[in-house]
Amino acid sequence: IEGLHEALFAGPVLRALMFISALMGGGMVATGMVLWVKKRRQKLRADEAASKGLVMTERLNVGVIVGLPIGVAVYFYANRLLPLDMAARADWELHCMFIAWAAALVHGVLRKTHKSWAEQMWFAAALFAGLPVLNALTSNVHLGRTLLARNGDMGLASVDIWAFILGAAFAFIAWVASAEKRETAHSTKALSAIDDKRGASPASA
């Protein structure tokens, strides 16, 4: 199972292709879940409220899609922060991952969808961006040694580098989502103001 999971049987090119394929497959599932909800929202009449099932699916999407990377980041935090002599330490690293994922699901259900998307994206960004900092504070295999040292280890350095990249990606997505939310709210407010003026004008009366 480990050999299959880490593609130990493959060379660098095949590993890269498998990695890209995995990202594309995950992205296809995630975008499909979002588009499914969006299309059903579009089919609703103007005076028709969304069903409870549709609302629940829409909110669970947040915890499923963003909650998983949050859980993965928490797994690495647990790996660094849990006591070394802790009983069943490896099991608790996994427990922490699933607890964080479950918390993200609950957060997505309790919060309004447009808020939970941005909040969880910002949280994921902070977690991943903080991983290299935590690694430097708790170990001697930080970027100063793995990347900058003469006999550095690019394998270990790539973990910190990818954490920074993922943190920046989540921050960018969160920023875009927040900007779109502000623009939508501004447009809605402007349209409401126009409707109010039309309703108050003598011509419309």
Side-chain angles (χ1 to χ4, degrees), residues 1-12 14-19:
I1 293 176
E2 181 181 359
L4 180 62
H5 179 76
E6 299 181 6
L8 299 178
F9 58 87
L14 183 54
R15 282 190 183 185
L17 290 174
M18 293 176 70
F19 176 70

Side-chain angles (χ1 to χ4, degrees), residues 7 30 45 48 51 57 112 114 120 127 153 163 181 189 199:
R45 299 189 304 271
E48 185 181 3
S51 65
T57 303
K112 291 184 178 179
H114 65 275
Q120 292 202 26
L127 285 174
D153 188 333
K181 175 180 172 293
K189 187 180 295 184

Side-chain angles (χ1 to χ4, degrees), residues 117-137:
W117 274 113
E119 290 169 355
Q120 292 202 26
M121 287 290 184
W122 282 120
F123 187 53
L127 285 174
F128 279 104
L131 272 175
V133 178
L134 177 68
N135 193 34
L137 294 174

Side-chain angles (χ1 to χ4, degrees), residues 62 102-112 115-117 119-120:
V62 184
L105 288 169
V106 174
H107 172 267
V109 170
L110 296 180
R111 296 286 284 171
K112 291 184 178 179
K115 291 183 178 180
S116 59
W117 274 113
E119 290 169 355
Q120 292 202 26

Side-chain angles (χ1 to χ4, degrees), residues 45-170:
R45 299 189 304 271
D47 59 342
E48 185 181 3
S51 65
K52 292 182 179 179
L54 179 58
V55 172
M56 182 61 67
T57 303
E58 186 176 42
R59 294 189 175 188
L60 284 173
N61 276 351
V62 184
V64 171
I65 295 172
V66 191
L68 177 56
I70 286 176
V72 172
V74 169
Y75 171 86
F76 286 108
Y77 274 82
N79 177 264
R80 283 285 178 252
L81 296 176
L82 291 179
L84 293 176
D85 57 351
M86 180 179 180
R89 187 177 189 273
D91 292 337
W92 271 104
E93 290 175 358
L94 288 174
H95 295 337
C96 288
M97 171 184 167
F98 286 108
I99 289 171
W101 195 359
L105 288 169
V106 174
H107 172 267
V109 170
L110 296 180
R111 296 286 284 171
K112 291 184 178 179
T113 305
H114 65 275
K115 291 183 178 180
S116 59
W117 274 113
E119 290 169 355
Q120 292 202 26
M121 287 290 184
W122 282 120
F123 187 53
L127 285 174
F128 279 104
L131 272 175
V133 178
L134 177 68
N135 193 34
L137 294 174
T138 58
S139 75
N140 61 354
V141 288
H142 49 79
L143 284 174
R145 291 197 173 191
T146 57
L147 182 63
L148 302 179
R150 179 176 299 180
N151 298 319
D153 188 333
M154 282 305 300
L156 290 175
S158 64
V159 177
D160 282 342
I161 292 172
W162 271 106
F164 273 129
I165 292 173
L166 288 172
F170 277 114

